[in-house]
Structures are given as C-alpha cells and as structure tokens.
Amino acid sequence: MSKSLTLRNFTNSPAVLMGVLLSFLEVKWLIEKKVEYKPLSVKTLLTSIKNISELTVDLAYSAVLFNDAELREEVLELEEYVDYLIYLLFMSASFAVRDKEDAERMAGIMKLAMAANRISDAAGDIASTIVRGEGLRILAHAFSKTEERIMRVVISKGSPLCNKRIDSLRGQLGVDVIVIRRRGRLLINPKESAKLIAGDAVIIRGTDKSVQEFKKIAEENVDEK
Amino acid sequence: MSKSLTLRNFTNSPAVLMGVLLSFLEVKWLIEKKVEYKPLSVKTLLTSIKNISELTVDLAYSAVLFNDAELREEVLELEEYVDYLIYLLFMSASFAVRDKEDAERMAGIMKLAMAANRISDAAGDIASTIVRGEGLRILAHAFSKTEERIMRVVISKGSPLCNKRIDSLRGQLGVDVIVIRRRGRLLINPKESAKLIAGDAVIIRGTDKSVQEFKKIAEENVDEK
C-alpha cells in the first residue's frame, strides 16, 4: 500500500495535477460565494473568457475617461463573471481529463484562461481608478481612440429602438452594439440580426455625438406622448 | 525636530507617497538591470504604455496559436520594455510632483500605468504557453478572429519591399504594418507615409495568405538574381 503513495505516483495523478493548478487560481471569489455548476464545453468557456477579458479593457479605459459609474459597475461585474467562467472551465477541464497527457493538455488551456483572467482583473483596477484635473487631460490624450466613445444605455419601455435590428442601428445612428445584457444573460458581440427589447442594457460604441443621440432615443417613451 | 516626523507629516510628503507607490511596482527588473533615465513627458509615456500593453495581448494569442517563436520573443521583449517605460514614468511623475494635490493626481496615472503593466505581464504568460493536440484545436476556435494572422518578418537587404511606403503595402498586399523595430527603436502604429528599410523587423497583420506572401517578398533578394 505504501508503495503506491510514492511521490512519483502522486504527481502522475491527473486529479493531483489539476489540484495543483487550482491552488494557483487565486479565485478568492470561489471561497466567498456559492457557485452553481453549469455544463459548458471547454471551447465555449475559453472563447467567452478571452472575449470578455478583452472587452473589459476597452470598457475600463472609457469608464475612467468619462468618469462613467455605470460602465465602471459593468466592468466590475464582468470581471466577476470571468472568475465564474474560470471556475466552470476548471470543472469542465477536470471532467475531460482521463490520463497524464489529457492533464498536460488541459494545463495549457488553464494557464491561458488564468492569464486572460489577470487581464480582466487589471481592467477592474483601471475602471476603479479616479483621475481628475491635469491627470485627466493627460489621460484623454493617452486613451482616446479617434474620438471613439463607449457608453452603457438601458432601452426604456416604449422607446423607438425596441424591436430594431442591431445592423439597422449602425446604418441609421452610426452606433455599434457590442454587448447586450438581457435578464441577467450576457450577449457579447451579438448577431447582426439580433433585435433590441425593452429593459435591455446595452453597451454601445461610436462617436460622442452618435452615442449621445442613441441614448436620447433609448430613453424616449413614445407611448407616453 | 521630532514634531515634524509625526505620521501625518510623513504621509503628506509627495516623495513618501511616491515611494509607497514604487513599493507596489513589483518591477523586479529594475533591481536586476541598470536603467538609463530618458526625459519623456508623462503623456507620451502613458500613451506608449497603454498602446504597447494592448498590442502585446494580440501578439501573444497569435504566438500561441501559430507556435511562433519569434513573435513569442517579441512579446517578452515588449513586456520588458513596458517595465522600462513604467520606470521612466515614475521618474517623470516624481519630477512633476510639487505638493500633495500633484501627488494624488499622479497616483491615479501611476495606478493606471501599473494596471496596463499587469496586462502586458499577462500577455507574456500567454505568449510563453505551449499548447498541443486537442488543446490547440480548442484554442484555434477561441482565439481566431476571422482568420486574421499576425507575423513577425525581417526585411532583407535587396528585398523589393525596401523603400516601399506602408500604405502602398496595404493596397498591394492587403497587409497592415503594426510595428516596426528599427535599430533598437520601436515604432508602434507607424505613419502611413513611413517607408520600410533593409533590416527592419516588422509585425504585420492580415489574412494567412497575405502575410505569407509578404514574408516571401520580404525575404527575397532581388540584387542576387
């Protein structure tokens, strides 16, 4: 019996390798919250983690630049959501591991996901930075991309934007819808054919003028007139 | 005398505030290498740090996906370059600090720069990940953007690309030149009118076919024919 507990056998165990990985996760969040397991493929999870982590960087710089509290809140929520996806990825990856080769393969995927997680963590730090005065002028120069603006807007009931396709908005208002948050679900880079509905919180990208115009129409209530 | 050393006076000192900041820098590199100070504005430095850190993320995913050792090396060098810029930023910011208000303003800028630094560090971790087999297929799905490819190419002496303007390359070959490394200097997002010269190491972005074609022409030597 004692023979099977040598260090060599021990480290060859996929479960132990995964356990070692988990210890590197630093997902304090896991300990703090009860998390529900949802079966999603490793491929789907890794794609989401990558896309959301890249998105958070863009949103975070806009949140600072425009001192936008709603955008800041969105970044912090997305950052937490990435933590949750990392947890699901670890579960799905563990289930897929049958031998040492599988474990090594999954270790690469986990390493990437954790680096992507650190990117979204850094985005959270960026979003929660407050800069004022001269600092803001320096920032505006460093972080402005051809006067592009990102904004979070909620579509009100009775807004003319309800039932509008996303691609028609690009043509009419010059605005890209990059995220739709609908009843707690998150749609990143939604399909061209997706339609907006009342209550959607959307993140849009465009010139300052075009996003302001979008916001105005989103908050209009035609029914009340 | 002892009165002026109370904790309150102590933390009010801009130099001490900056010193506290530096302790958070985690730039091990500073200790390991002798660094030369170059006077650059806070604005210029912050812009570079932001741009390079975002660029490294893109390059890193490509390095993993195409198992491209040169691109991996480039990411690790850029990551180190960001550390150097952070050091210069700290120097320039310190010089600009005259009172507590200045220090608070600069603290925001430093916090942003350090978060951007963590992004490039994470990119370094991504670049140095090796993924094989099934893992690579999962990765290709997660990290491929509409078949876009990034590649590092050196322009050989006598290549037809010498003296070609960057914007003409986009038209002729469908390739964007995103970085030029010339005699140790780094040009990020070079001007449209910039011309390539022999010995330039360039990072290009385009379809797989177009970057391969660019590489072929870059390594051609017309003079030898």
Side-chain angles (χ1 to χ4, degrees):
Chain A
M1 280 295 280
S2 67
K3 213 177 166 186
S4 67
L5 281 169
T6 59
L7 189 63
R8 203 187 140 69
N9 282 323
F10 189 70
T11 53
N12 271 350
S13 151
V16 171
L17 281 176
M18 275 296 166
V20 171
L21 266 178
L22 186 61
S23 70
F24 288 117
L25 271 177
E26 295 179 46
V27 189
K28 284 168 290 182
W29 182 80
L30 282 183
I31 305 151
E32 290 157 16
K33 290 201 179 184
K34 278 204 164 184
V35 174
E36 195 191 340
Y37 174 67
K38 269 202 277 182
L40 284 167
S41 78
V42 171
K43 195 163 80 176
T44 305
L45 289 165
L46 190 65
T47 307
S48 295
I49 290 165
K50 187 213 172 225
N51 290 343
I52 299 174
S53 67
E54 285 183 331
L55 175 69
T56 53
V57 175
D58 267 7
L59 299 188
Y61 286 134
S62 286
V64 181
L65 201 53
F66 299 105
N67 194 19
D68 184 331
E70 284 181 345
L71 218 45
R72 183 176 305 136
E73 210 44 52
E74 190 71 45
V75 172
L76 299 177
E77 271 191 38
L78 285 171
E79 183 201 334
E80 198 164 90
Y81 186 60
V82 171
D83 290 342
Y84 171 56
L85 294 177
I86 294 268
Y87 170 78
L88 294 185
L89 179 69
F90 172 74
M91 301 275 284
S92 297
S94 303
F95 288 141
V97 167
R98 292 283 166 269
D99 53 32
K100 191 163 170 262
E101 277 66 43
D102 279 350
E104 278 171 356
R105 214 172 285 145
M106 283 303 169
I109 299 284
M110 286 303 294
K111 189 182 165 191
L112 279 171
M114 288 185 283
N117 189 31
R118 281 198 292 284
I119 291 172
S120 75
D121 286 349
D125 293 343
I126 290 168
S128 55
T129 307
I130 307 281
V131 182
R132 289 194 191 88
E134 166 68 8
L136 202 59
R137 205 184 54 76
I138 293 170
L139 206 71
H141 177 268
F143 297 123
S144 67
K145 277 186 204 160
T146 60
E147 309 192 20
E148 192 180 69
R149 169 106 198 234
I150 293 174
M151 197 185 266
R152 185 182 189 277
V153 176
V154 177
I155 311 294
S156 75
K157 208 179 148 185
S159 159
L161 294 178
C162 290
N163 275 315
K164 281 276 162 69
R165 274 172 64 121
I166 283 175
D167 49 3
S168 74
L169 299 173
R170 186 181 302 125
Q172 280 172 39
L173 298 168
V175 158
D176 266 325
V177 176
I178 51 180
V179 177
I180 303 176
R181 185 183 281 278
R182 178 175 295 169
R183 295 190 211 101
R185 259 195 83 203
L186 208 61
L187 303 161
I188 311 272
N189 300 326
K191 282 183 201 161
E192 297 285 286
S193 61
K195 286 179 183 176
L196 297 183
I197 61 174
D200 281 354
V202 297
I203 296 177
I204 51 173
R205 193 197 296 266
T207 62
D208 191 47
K209 203 185 153 207
S210 64
V211 297
Q212 295 288 3
E213 177 69 11
F214 183 97
K215 185 179 161 72
K216 213 185 102 201
I217 304 176
E219 292 171 354
E220 242 175 57
N221 201 333
V222 176
D223 296 347
E224 280 178 0
K225 279 180 187 170
Chain B
M1 279 298 280
S2 67
K3 213 177 167 187
S4 67
L5 281 167
T6 58
L7 189 63
R8 203 188 137 69
N9 282 322
F10 188 71
T11 52
N12 272 349
S13 148
V16 171
L17 282 175
M18 275 296 166
V20 171
L21 266 177
L22 187 60
S23 70
F24 289 118
L25 271 176
E26 294 180 44
V27 189
K28 284 169 290 182
W29 181 80
L30 282 183
I31 305 152
E32 290 156 15
K33 291 200 178 183
K34 279 203 165 184
V35 174
E36 196 190 338
Y37 174 67
K38 270 200 275 182
L40 285 167
S41 77
V42 171
K43 194 163 81 177
T44 305
L45 289 165
L46 191 64
T47 307
S48 296
I49 290 165
K50 188 215 171 222
N51 289 342
I52 300 174
S53 67
E54 285 184 333
L55 176 69
T56 53
V57 176
D58 266 8
L59 298 187
Y61 286 134
S62 287
V64 180
L65 201 53
F66 299 105
N67 195 19
D68 184 330
E70 284 182 346
L71 217 46
R72 184 175 303 135
E73 211 44 53
E74 190 70 44
V75 173
L76 298 176
E77 272 190 40
L78 286 172
E79 183 201 334
E80 199 164 270
Y81 186 60
V82 171
D83 290 342
Y84 171 56
L85 294 177
I86 294 269
Y87 170 78
L88 293 185
L89 179 68
F90 173 74
M91 301 275 282
S92 297
S94 303
F95 288 141
V97 167
R98 293 284 166 269
D99 54 31
K100 192 162 170 260
E101 278 66 42
D102 279 351
E104 279 171 357
R105 215 172 283 143
M106 283 304 171
I109 299 284
M110 287 302 296
K111 189 181 166 193
L112 279 171
M114 287 185 284
N117 189 30
R118 282 198 292 285
I119 290 173
S120 76
D121 286 348
D125 293 342
I126 290 169
S128 56
T129 307
I130 308 281
V131 182
R132 289 195 192 88
E134 166 69 7
L136 202 58
R137 204 183 54 75
I138 292 171
L139 207 70
H141 176 269
F143 296 124
S144 67
K145 278 187 204 160
T146 60
E147 308 194 17
E148 191 179 70
R149 168 107 197 232
I150 292 174
M151 196 186 266
R152 186 183 187 277
V153 176
V154 178
I155 311 295
S156 76
K157 208 178 146 183
S159 157
L161 294 179
C162 291
N163 275 316
K164 281 275 161 68
R165 275 171 64 120
I166 283 174
D167 49 3
S168 75
L169 298 172
R170 187 181 301 126
Q172 280 172 39
L173 298 167
V175 159
D176 266 323
V177 176
I178 50 179
V179 177
I180 303 176
R181 184 182 281 279
R182 179 175 295 169
R183 295 190 211 100
R185 260 196 81 203
L186 208 61
L187 304 161
I188 312 272
N189 300 326
K191 283 182 202 161
E192 296 285 286
S193 61
K195 286 178 182 176
L196 297 181
I197 62 175
D200 281 353
V202 297
I203 296 177
I204 51 172
R205 193 198 296 267
T207 62
D208 191 48
K209 202 182 154 208
S210 64
V211 297
Q212 294 289 1
E213 177 69 11
F214 183 97
K215 185 179 161 71
K216 214 185 102 201
I217 304 176
E219 292 172 353
E220 242 176 57
N221 200 332
V222 176
D223 296 349
E224 280 178 358
K225 277 179 186 168

